[in-house]
Amino acid sequence: MNEILSSYGYGDRFSSFAEQYPDLYPARILTQHHLRYEMIGQSGTVSGTVSGKFSYEAADYADYPAVGDWVMIDRTDNSKGDAVIHAVLPRKSCFARSAAGKESRTQIIAANIDLVFLCMSMNENFNLRRTERYLAAIYDSGAMPVIVLTKSDLAEHPEEYQTRIASVAGAAEVFAINESDAEGLERIKTRIRPGMTVAFVGSSGVGKSTLINRLLGASVQQTKDIRGDGKGRHTTTTRDMILMSHGGVLIDTPGMREFQLDSANVADAFGDIGSLALSCRFRDCTHTTEPGCAVIDAVEKGNMEINRLESYRKLSAEVDYEGLSARGREQAKIEKMFGSKKEMKRRMDESKNKKKYRY
């Protein structure tokens, strides 16, 4: 397998999909400027755009390539002009939000990621309800969340922030670091292994770019001081994929003050409520007015904050009224290419067996 592609996370899963396009070449989206893309291919970086047929057949903006996507292109370099993207390979994960504006549409933040580092600073930016919203979206994406509390050296009582975040973190690992915390930085590095793709998300001014620069060992991302009101200034304005020296690839994303859900996995984000619900008298308990509700009982006994239950109710209602999510569109794409997930798996296994016995 090509060494360049492998370093950016190309493996058997995507090569199996790529075999459906024998006359094209695989590449990964590094950055996007409107509908123009910079990609990494088997010969290095290459730029290009989608084909006219691709644009015509795209049912939604989310169908277009996003940073982290593996695509199929018609050439390996730009010696004879721009590359043309003919297909986006099925995503193994897709972190998305509902884009701001009058028209509801899905905005893909990053695709094919393994871990999402959710950064939040120990100041006015700290917000448990926003954390729950992010976690619900990350779990829905197919990636795993890691919470990073930044600027612990500036907090008067950092342990209080850690206690509060633990009440909503669930199974997500939590790190508390500051700019001079070499040990904490090294612990984060150990979570990023060769072949993995990680994304960093969070509001503006939480120290995300500073953290990334320290992980990379160079001033790659621009940084700025936060404003006097504790709110951040936008420093990262585009999503960029960066190859790390010790292996793995990193996607930095612009700071987001608002995060509207496109779809969400509320069950995993609120695992504590799910566990309590097993003891509810009624199997279909909505945790509102039913007698014998273990969740309401936990709130009344002080074992759970009412704000967390209200957040659960709000996000559950929000998800119930969503249309087809980005993941739903991904499922439709798989069905279009293979008929079903079962058939996709069969073809992938068949491809692996061919490679295993190829001499």
Side-chain angles (χ1 to χ4, degrees):
M1 189 171 291
N2 182 272
E3 186 175 344
I4 295 177
L5 297 181
S6 295
S7 66
Y8 278 87
Y10 191 69
D12 289 342
R13 181 185 191 278
F14 293 108
S15 65
S16 296
F17 293 141
E19 289 182 355
Q20 308 298 316
Y21 305 92
D23 299 325
L24 300 175
Y25 306 92
R28 196 171 194 189
I29 304 294
L30 298 178
T31 188
Q32 174 185 1
H33 303 282
H34 300 293
L35 293 180
R36 186 170 182 80
Y37 302 89
E38 293 295 323
M39 301 164 278
I40 186 72
Q42 60 190 43
S43 299
T45 56
V46 58
S47 59
T49 58
V50 298
S51 69
K53 181 181 179 183
F54 186 103
S55 295
Y56 179 77
E57 294 182 346
D60 188 270
Y61 190 76
D63 292 333
Y64 280 86
V67 173
D69 268 325
W70 285 98
V71 297
M72 301 305 297
I73 58 178
D74 66 345
R75 66 200 70 191
T76 59
D77 58 52
N78 292 128
S79 59
K80 296 183 179 179
D82 282 347
V84 178
I85 300 170
H86 290 274
V88 176
L89 298 183
R91 297 158 176 149
K92 73 174 183 180
S93 62
C94 177
F95 181 55
R97 69 170 176 172
S98 182
K102 294 181 179 180
E103 294 184 8
S104 178
R105 65 178 179 85
T106 301
Q107 179 185 29
I108 307 299
I109 305 301
N112 300 314
I113 43 181
D114 300 292
L115 293 178
V116 177
F117 289 88
L118 171 55
C119 301
M120 185 166 56
S121 56
M122 299 188 195
N123 57 15
E124 294 88 343
N125 172 264
F126 189 87
N127 188 308
L128 294 180
R129 306 289 80 85
R130 188 193 307 126
T131 301
E132 291 166 338
R133 181 172 287 269
Y134 268 107
L135 289 176
I138 294 169
Y139 280 119
D140 183 72
S141 76
M144 292 300 295
V146 177
I147 300 173
V148 180
L149 297 178
T150 63
K151 306 184 180 182
S152 62
D153 54 327
L154 302 180
E156 188 172 349
H157 300 290
E159 65 281 355
E160 293 183 4
Y161 287 97
Q162 295 180 59
T163 300
R164 292 173 63 194
I165 203 67
S167 69
V168 303
E173 193 170 11
V174 179
F175 293 98
I177 66 169
N178 58 62
E179 287 192 25
S180 58
D181 184 4
E183 183 179 344
L185 189 74
E186 196 59 36
R187 288 174 61 207
I188 291 178
K189 276 187 178 181
T190 62
R191 300 300 184 270
I192 308 172
R193 298 186 296 275
M196 288 181 64
T197 300
V198 302
F200 283 74
V201 302
S203 302
S204 303
V206 299
K208 187 161 53 70
S209 295
T210 298
L211 174 59
I212 288 172
N213 284 338
R214 294 196 64 212
L215 286 170
L216 297 174
S219 297
V220 176
Q221 301 300 83
Q222 184 182 3
T223 62
K224 288 183 179 179
D225 293 331
I226 61 173
R227 293 169 7 191
D229 58 3
K231 295 182 179 179
R233 296 182 173 92
H234 289 287
T235 53
T236 302
T237 56
T238 60
R239 289 176 289 280
D240 299 296
M241 177 179 286
I242 306 165
L243 183 64
M244 304 184 71
S245 60
H246 68 281
V249 287
L250 180 155
I251 299 176
D252 189 13
T253 66
M256 294 176 281
R257 293 199 183 100
E258 293 185 7
F259 190 80
Q260 298 297 323
L261 292 176
D262 177 65
S263 62
N265 183 337
V266 178
D268 283 346
F270 292 83
D272 52 342
I273 291 180
S275 296
L276 285 169
L278 297 174
S279 300
C280 289
R281 181 184 301 176
F282 301 106
R283 183 173 298 179
D284 59 349
C285 184
T286 62
H287 319 309
T288 51
T289 59
E290 296 92 342
C293 174
V295 178
I296 294 177
D297 184 57
V299 172
E300 291 176 345
K301 290 180 177 179
N303 296 325
M304 177 184 293
E305 290 187 5
I306 184 61
N307 289 340
R308 179 152 174 83
L309 177 55
E310 289 176 348
S311 179
Y312 168 82
R313 291 168 177 165
K314 179 181 178 181
L315 292 182
S316 296
E318 196 172 324
V319 170
D320 286 343
Y321 289 101
E322 290 292 342
L324 189 62
S325 68
R327 174 164 286 193
R329 282 185 286 276
E330 197 61 26
Q331 174 65 27
K333 184 184 294 184
I334 289 173
E335 291 178 355
K336 180 179 179 181
M337 288 182 66
F338 302 98
S340 66
K341 275 193 173 181
K342 184 176 180 181
E343 175 62 15
M344 178 188 79
K345 186 177 184 303
R346 186 191 71 77
R347 293 199 195 181
M348 288 176 67
D349 291 341
E350 185 179 84
S351 176
K352 288 179 182 178
N353 289 332
K354 284 181 181 179
K355 291 176 182 176
K356 183 177 180 181
Y357 296 107
R358 189 178 294 164
Y359 294 94

